[in-house]
Amino acid sequence: MTTLRVVVDQILAPIPGGIGRYTEELTRALVETAPRGCEVEGVVAAHPQTDYDRLTDLLPGLSHVAKSPLGRRELALAWQGGVVGLPGRGMVHATSLFAPLYRHDRALDPGTQTVVTIHDTVPWTHPETLTPRGVRWHKAMTKRAFKHADGVVVPTHSVARELAELFPFGDRLRVIGGAVSPKLAVPADADEVADTLDLPERYALSVGTLEPRKGIEPLIQALAHPDAPTCRC
């Protein structure tokens, strides 16, 4: 039996955010599409039992939930220093930089691989939008990923270019865009909602604050371009 261990702790974070939703949906898809002879295991920091129960309800089909004795903040610091890994060997997929990254020989032990996900380069481009501790942690973990990760997933070619300027990951860098959530479904009263909101036939919807890193301003500028499609947002 082959086991893929996925770091799913962001789902249980106080504010899961977009990465929490990404983690939940990606892990559920991995469980549903796992080939015969392959199982998916979740990895989390220490939490109350009620959180573990909620996790297994959200992700039915997980073969096991590996629970660290350290809380999330302590585990983040331990992984930043390379102090704590995971018991055993094998494949690990992290949906962020919150991952156990340590020295290993991928040529001699190809079955032991760790892949991390870097969603943006905000610690370098817009550090003022993060806490100083957050900036230090993300930069330190990116350096560890450069040293020890077997693969790095980024959501766009733009992020790939920005990251490559900071660290020459080479062919370890992979652009894998997110998919539309299966929870985004057309409601039964879609026409009624559209009439209530006075929606036109074509429109663009974007969610985000006015922080520069969210990209709302470039989106508005792009829609004002002469070659942009005619729509409302």
Side-chain angles (χ1 to χ4, degrees), residues 10-26:
Q10 185 63 31
I11 298 174
L12 302 179
I15 303 177
I19 295 179
R21 295 189 296 271
Y22 171 83
T23 301
E24 178 186 340
E25 297 193 2
L26 176 63

Side-chain angles (χ1 to χ4, degrees), residues 40-119:
V40 180
E41 176 180 298
V43 176
V44 295
H47 292 273
Q49 183 60 46
T50 53
D51 282 351
Y52 300 140
D53 295 340
R54 180 164 62 89
L55 183 67
T56 54
D57 288 341
L58 287 172
L59 301 174
L62 283 179
S63 63
H64 177 66
V65 176
K67 308 163 188 173
S68 170
L70 299 177
R72 180 177 175 84
R73 182 170 183 176
E74 293 76 16
L75 186 58
L77 292 173
W79 279 350
Q80 179 181 345
V83 178
V84 177
L86 295 178
R89 310 186 72 80
M91 297 184 294
V92 177
H93 186 93
T95 57
S96 69
L97 281 167
F98 188 58
L101 292 162
Y102 55 91
R103 184 191 304 272
H104 62 284
D105 193 322
R106 63 179 63 92
L108 296 177
D109 188 9
T112 296
Q113 299 184 33
T114 301
V115 174
V116 300
T117 308
I118 298 179
H119 295 270

Side-chain angles (χ1 to χ4, degrees), residues 19 27 35 51 57 76 88 95 109 118 122 137 143 171 191 194 205:
I19 295 179
T27 307
D51 282 351
D57 288 341
T95 57
D109 188 9
I118 298 179
V122 166
W137 185 85
K143 291 178 182 177
D171 60 4
D191 292 336
L205 172 66

